[in-house]
Amino acid sequence: MSGDPPPGRYSLRRRAAAAKSGEEARGGEAELQRLLTAAAGCRNLVVFSGSGLSAPSGMSTFSTKGGLYEKAARRFGLADGKRLFSYSFFEKQRLEALAFFADIYTEAVAAAPAAGHRALAGIAAAGCLRRHYTLNIDGLGEAVGMDTWHPDTNPNGVTVEMHGSVRQLVCPSCGHVVPLTAAAAARLRAREALPCGSCGHSPIRIRVMLYDDAEDDVITPDTVYEAMEDDMAVADMVLWVGISFEQSASTQYFRNVRGMVAEAGRLGEVRQVVVNPSDEALWNLLSACSNTGALDVLEVLLPADAVLPALAAQLAEGGPHAASAGS
């Protein structure tokens, strides 16, 4: 018997041998076919998405060269631009930080949904998407018709904005949320404090989660984890799409999800899939996890725009909505 790991299992030795070779490109196509085979018949997909989903839309990523961290470092003279996205920086320079976020808003409203976004909407339309948890703040999920989850006003919403949305303003005092407009963004870029239209508190802020955010309760309610537990109780596959796993938050989400699946006694039923053209994503993830020998992760070394449309096309043919339409 060969000493190779079972198909889909991650092997550090195999990865080292395949790095920088054409095997990875060929493997990406092969793993896509393996994903499509495994997803056949799935009715409750859960997707976590990161900046790799929105980069083709023209959105800046965070940690790559020329990304948001680098832009923040240049503008504010920071050794590490990541500091701008911390609450400690925000608390001291709130208006300056809001002006920077207003620029991200302008980029977001100018962006067009990518093929991956449209494919996700197609998977939802086929009745096969249980939930879409996004780490992105661009609001492009709603731009393709996937409504946003809220525990009170829309508990069945498809997209959960784990880190908020740059397209909204929220009052840290009363929690009142309003859409961010181009006019309001221009005022923020001018370092103008905007008052809450409901309670009068000033300044309100763009609804984006920061590191160690002291106002996180108005960004993403804690009840999101209750919804996540419910989703993991029925999920038949979890896809991690366009996430580099360079940030602690994303690896913590993976650990949380795996813990929820384990608590439900479903580790052998729920396949975990990492979709990213870079082999560093899975490497980063496993480097942050313990007991990696017990992990069975299918890696697809292709971009979201290649994988999600193929998955959507397959599910559209065999999804529950297709079946009811043909009956």
Side-chain angles (χ1 to χ4, degrees):
M1 179 180 291
S2 169
D4 288 341
R9 292 293 295 272
Y10 182 81
S11 165
L12 297 180
R13 183 176 297 171
R14 177 177 157 195
R15 176 54 43 74
K20 308 299 183 182
S21 76
E23 181 180 331
E24 290 188 344
R26 295 191 298 273
E29 295 294 339
E31 298 298 355
L32 173 57
Q33 292 307 312
R34 190 167 292 143
L35 166 61
L36 295 178
T37 299
C42 285
R43 298 293 180 267
N44 288 294
L45 293 177
V46 175
V47 175
F48 284 77
S49 68
S51 58
L53 178 66
S54 293
S57 298
M59 292 300 303
S60 298
T61 58
F62 281 88
S63 55
T64 55
K65 183 174 178 58
L68 294 174
Y69 292 158
E70 185 175 309
K71 292 177 182 177
R74 285 200 307 266
R75 180 181 296 191
F76 295 97
L78 301 172
D80 184 356
K82 186 177 177 180
R83 275 195 55 214
L84 181 132
F85 294 85
S86 68
Y87 188 78
S88 59
F89 182 93
F90 181 73
E91 191 174 28
K92 296 174 183 176
Q93 300 188 57
R94 186 172 293 239
L95 295 183
E96 289 76 10
L98 287 173
F100 186 85
F101 294 142
D103 287 342
I104 304 176
Y105 160 82
T106 301
E107 184 177 273
V109 295
H117 296 106
R118 296 191 295 272
L120 274 180
I123 295 171
C128 299
L129 184 62
R130 170 74 182 190
R131 199 88 65 184
H132 169 222
Y133 292 88
T134 185
L135 283 58
N136 297 331
I137 58 176
D138 50 47
L140 288 172
E142 280 210 343
V144 291
M146 292 190 292
D147 58 338
T148 301
W149 171 90
H150 189 279
D152 301 320
T153 60
N154 193 23
N156 295 319
V158 174
T159 295
V160 179
E161 296 173 329
M162 295 297 291
H163 297 168
S165 173
V166 77
R167 299 177 186 240
Q168 293 179 325
L169 294 167
V170 63
C171 176
S173 180
C174 71
H176 183 62
V177 176
V178 296
L180 176 58
T181 64
R187 293 170 65 187
L188 289 176
R189 279 193 291 272
R191 281 40 172 197
E192 181 179 345
L194 303 183
C196 174
S198 178
C199 72
H201 175 88
S202 180
I204 56 176
R205 58 178 285 186
I206 293 179
R207 192 176 72 86
V208 170
M209 183 75 75
L210 304 171
Y211 289 100
D212 300 318
D213 201 321
E215 299 164 355
D216 60 347
D217 56 324
V218 299
I219 307 299
T220 303
D222 287 341
T223 49
V224 68
Y225 292 103
E226 297 175 13
M228 198 178 291
E229 286 183 353
D230 292 342
D231 291 342
M232 293 308 136
V234 298
D236 36 35
M237 181 178 285
V238 181
L239 289 87
W240 303 83
V241 179
I243 300 175
S244 67
F245 292 107
E246 292 181 347
Q247 309 303 326
S248 59
S250 54
T251 55
Q252 186 59 53
Y253 291 143
F254 182 91
R255 288 192 290 264
N256 288 345
V257 164
R258 182 168 168 78
M260 292 173 187
V261 172
E263 188 172 340
R266 307 185 66 235
L267 277 179
E269 304 172 29
V270 184
R271 194 68 183 270
Q272 303 279 346
V273 182
V274 171
V275 177
N276 198 302
S278 170
D279 63 354
E280 293 184 1
L282 187 54
W283 177 278
N284 293 336
L285 173 61
L286 295 185
S287 297
C289 292
S290 58
N291 192 23
T292 57
L295 288 177
D296 184 7
V297 180
L298 173 61
E299 179 186 36
V300 182
L301 288 168
L302 291 171
D305 278 6
V307 174
L308 294 179
L311 183 59
Q314 173 176 282
L315 295 174
E317 296 178 358
H321 292 181
S324 62
S327 61

